[in-house]
Amino acid sequence: MKMRPRCVAMLPKVEKLLSEARNHGAYVIRTLFPGPKQAMFPNPKISDYVPKLV
């Protein structure tokens, strides 16, 4: 929340979007990748996710 408050604030909208996409039969593909500034998110881990969005 401290580092990315806007990202956290958008999670309910992303959750709704994913839910609607799945309800319409769309495939939802997730990936984990480092951000454009490697120093901000240097070692992404599989545990770095939001369970509601999986």
Side-chain angles (χ1 to χ4, degrees):
M1 181 66 173
K2 280 184 183 180
M3 288 184 66
R4 295 186 175 94
R6 289 184 299 171
C7 291
V8 173
M10 74 172 193
L11 290 177
K13 291 179 182 179
V14 173
E15 183 180 10
K16 181 181 176 190
L17 174 70
L18 291 174
S19 177
E20 289 179 11
R22 289 180 178 124
N23 288 338
H24 285 87
Y27 287 105
V28 176
I29 300 171
R30 299 173 300 279
T31 185
L32 183 65
F33 60 92
K37 294 182 180 178
Q38 193 73 351
M40 289 182 73
F41 199 57
N43 298 308
K45 298 176 183 67
I46 297 300
S47 62
D48 294 335
Y49 70 95
V50 178
K52 286 180 145 186
L53 302 182
V54 175

